[in-house]
Amino acid sequence: FNSVDGVLRFGIAQLNADGSLDPGFQARTTQNGIVQSMTVQTDGKLLIGGEFNQVGDLSRNFLARLNGDGSLDASFDPGSGANDIVHSVALQSDGQVLVGGAFTSVNGVPRNRIARLNSDGSLDTLFNPGTGASDNVYAVVEQDDGRTLIGGRFTSVNGVPRNWVARLNA
């Protein structure tokens, strides 16, 4: 969307409890940027993933974190970001961020459609899904035991046959 109740809002807006537009939330993704997934951190910051390449005046390829007022949180720096769409963003209990999508690398490191970021946005290289998912990942969630569930259009994960749903070890 490009507007809410006649006010310009490109791809993301915040509503008050009564459904009215919150004028204090001023997120600025590119005009053609689509936010496909978001999650709110305990500190009120918002992690977003989607089809955008800029937030505010800074380059943010498909991943970003916003402050409570919608401005870009520059302390969350995913480097060059993902190289394609991020369909799903999930926050782990330890503050790390799981992402799934159509990408094949994050910050230049091969990660086929599933990756984990540290709380500062850098790639967590300890989380290595091997060859990753064979096709797009549309849903990512952490289980209580620390393992990760993914869902999507894939038929294998790290070379193991898995049709549309898989569970990854921590």
Side-chain angles (χ1 to χ4, degrees), residues 45-102:
K45 293 184 179 184
L46 186 66
L47 292 159
I48 62 172
E51 297 181 49
F52 51 86
N53 59 13
Q54 188 171 334
V55 176
D57 296 328
L58 292 177
S59 173
R60 285 295 184 265
N61 291 323
F62 310 103
L63 290 165
R65 184 168 64 194
L66 306 178
N67 293 308
D69 64 358
S71 63
L72 177 69
D73 177 2
S75 70
F76 182 85
D77 186 1
S80 61
N83 70 339
D84 206 340
I85 300 166
V86 172
H87 293 296
S88 183
V89 177
L91 185 64
Q92 289 187 292
S93 57
D94 62 3
Q96 290 182 301
V97 181
L98 294 164
V99 294

Side-chain angles (χ1 to χ4, degrees), residues 2 9 21 27 34 46 57 76 88 95 105 125 136:
N2 292 327
R9 292 291 187 266
L21 181 66
I34 297 170
L46 186 66
D57 296 328
F76 182 85
S88 183
S105 70
T125 56
N136 291 354

Side-chain angles (χ1 to χ4, degrees), residues 96 98 104 109-117 123-133 148 157-158 168-170:
Q96 290 182 301
L98 294 164
T104 56
V109 178
R111 288 292 184 266
N112 285 328
R113 301 169 190 93
I114 181 76
R116 185 168 65 192
L117 307 176
L123 181 67
D124 178 4
T125 56
L126 297 178
F127 181 86
N128 186 350
T131 59
T148 301
V157 177
N158 197 22
L168 310 175
N169 291 317

